[in-house]
Amino acid sequence: MRKKQTTFVKIDQYLKRLHLPAIRDSYREQADLARKESLPYESYLLELLERETENRHNNRVQRYLRESNLSLEKNMETFDLKRLPPTIGMQVKSLLDGDFIDRRENILAFGNPGSGKTHLLSAIAQELIVKHEKRIYSRTCCLLVQELLAAKRDLELARYMKKLSKFDVILIDDIGYIQQGREEMEVLFSLLSERYERGSVMITSNLPFSKWEGIFKDPITTAAAIDRVIHHSVILELNASSYRAEVAKKRKTAKKKRA
Ligand code: ADP
Ligand code: MG
């Protein structure tokens, strides 16, 4: 009995030192079970390794979801793909395998306000984190630009860019929604140049490319910015109908019917 106790103490110490908390939590109870069911040693070991791996996956996913800043309620379950043209459904399905990230491709979602751009790209991003353990940094364009400017002001821009380069995808929501000044445009352009062929970006915009000069000010920078994002990209054209407007309309007619 005493010998068994010291064995446990030693095992616990090793598992602690090796950072295997899930195994530490379950090895005794699993050993009892294995003895009871006369399982081979390998099955016991396999069970423990699976538990540790799953635990690590879950922890990593939680951490990545937190750092992504995504709204978790905007996921694939709450998104109605049938509202969009069938080609979009097919495009989305293939994007969910995450291979576009390995190819450093970008996703661009265009459409009217309320057409579901933010929801769809957030949902795709969330799936990529949960299923493929990808690291994603999601911000509205406005907030991202502010972060970039603050970093620049503190002479930390290089360091901030380095931090962003660790992410598999930068999701920039609503590019061009708010009119930016020249300084804002410059840092945004630097970021896009930095990402070019090095890492994916996902962008949503109400503005078609023809209106991007309003974002990047002069025609040369605009052309260069469009070139960089479009070069290896998948374009999702959501312009079916505005979901928000439709729901409002439905509410109105329902109200009328009730009245
Ligand atoms: P956009 O970014 O294009 O302006 P959003 O993604 O913000 O549009 O969508 C507006 C609202 O409508 C959100 O609450 C979103 O969850 C909802 N919505 C839009 N499209 C869909 C859809 N296909 N299925 C479910 N909800 C949707
Ligand atoms: Mg949006």
Side-chain angles (χ1 to χ4, degrees):
M1 191 65 199
R2 220 192 141 73
K3 187 149 176 253
K4 199 167 180 187
Q5 281 305 329
T6 45
T7 307
F8 284 154
V9 170
K10 277 190 186 162
I11 292 176
D12 282 341
Q13 281 170 349
Y14 279 123
L15 292 174
K16 205 167 189 175
R17 203 193 295 171
L18 294 170
H19 303 290
L20 299 164
I23 296 186
R24 199 149 60 90
D25 283 347
S26 58
Y27 79 93
R28 294 186 202 202
E29 154 210 314
Q30 288 303 314
D32 289 341
L33 208 74
R35 268 188 292 271
K36 215 158 84 195
E37 293 180 11
S38 311
L39 293 181
Y41 295 121
E42 290 85 350
S43 307
Y44 171 64
L45 180 60
L46 179 63
E47 174 68 32
L48 294 185
L49 294 175
E50 278 174 351
R51 279 168 181 251
E52 188 61 44
T53 307
E54 192 182 321
N55 183 51
R56 273 188 202 191
H57 167 76
N58 291 342
N59 288 345
R60 195 170 295 140
V61 164
Q62 286 313 316
R63 201 166 64 240
Y64 290 178
L65 285 174
R66 239 179 290 125
E67 75 177 359
S68 74
N69 206 36
L70 287 164
S71 308
L72 299 186
E73 73 281 2
K74 289 183 185 153
N75 52 51
M76 281 321 286
E77 272 92 69
T78 56
F79 192 79
D80 185 3
L81 264 176
K82 284 195 237 52
R83 305 188 57 86
L84 297 174
T87 45
I88 300 266
M90 271 156 13
Q91 280 178 303
V92 169
K93 219 168 144 205
S94 90
L95 290 173
L96 290 177
D97 65 20
D99 290 350
F100 78 94
I101 295 176
D102 303 326
R103 294 192 298 265
R104 311 274 191 271
E105 287 172 5
N106 303 324
I107 306 183
L108 307 167
F110 291 106
N112 296 330
S115 57
K117 302 180 294 295
T118 302
H119 191 146
L120 180 58
L121 291 205
S122 303
I124 293 174
Q126 199 178 134
E127 291 274 316
L128 294 171
I129 295 175
V130 174
K131 303 249 166 79
H132 302 283
E133 292 189 3
K134 296 294 183 191
R135 289 187 67 184
I136 296 182
Y137 192 79
S138 167
R139 292 290 185 277
T140 60
C141 183
C142 188
L143 191 62
L144 184 67
V145 163
Q146 277 173 25
E147 287 181 3
L148 285 163
L149 283 179
K152 191 176 164 198
R153 207 172 310 124
D154 300 339
L155 305 177
E156 297 269 341
L157 192 57
R159 200 211 294 231
Y160 184 74
M161 290 284 195
K162 195 162 171 220
K163 173 188 145 181
L164 292 187
S165 72
K166 301 223 160 65
F167 289 88
D168 298 297
V169 178
I170 310 283
L171 198 169
I172 309 175
D173 191 26
D174 254 335
I175 199 170
Y177 178 62
I178 292 168
Q179 279 286 328
Q180 317 261 12
R182 192 158 279 279
E183 215 195 346
E184 279 92 349
M185 169 285 283
E186 266 169 25
V187 282
L188 183 59
F189 183 76
S190 307
L191 174 64
L192 293 178
S193 304
E194 190 75 25
R195 290 300 287 184
Y196 180 60
E197 292 191 332
R198 279 191 219 136
S200 299
V201 290
M202 290 165 77
I203 291 177
T204 78
S205 186
N206 301 330
L207 300 176
F209 287 131
S210 58
K211 300 229 173 90
W212 276 32
E213 211 171 305
I215 311 172
F216 292 101
K217 310 301 169 204
D218 69 279
I220 294 172
T221 316
T222 308
I226 294 174
D227 249 25
R228 279 169 178 72
V229 293
I230 211 177
H231 187 193
H232 309 280
S233 70
V234 177
I235 294 182
L236 304 172
E237 195 56 78
L238 303 195
N239 244 347
S241 61
S242 161
Y243 192 78
R244 266 191 296 244
E246 245 175 68
V247 171
K249 214 163 94 189
K250 268 195 194 134
R251 271 206 204 109
K252 242 187 188 165
T253 40
K255 234 185 192 169
K256 256 190 203 157
K257 271 187 195 155
R258 259 184 269 130

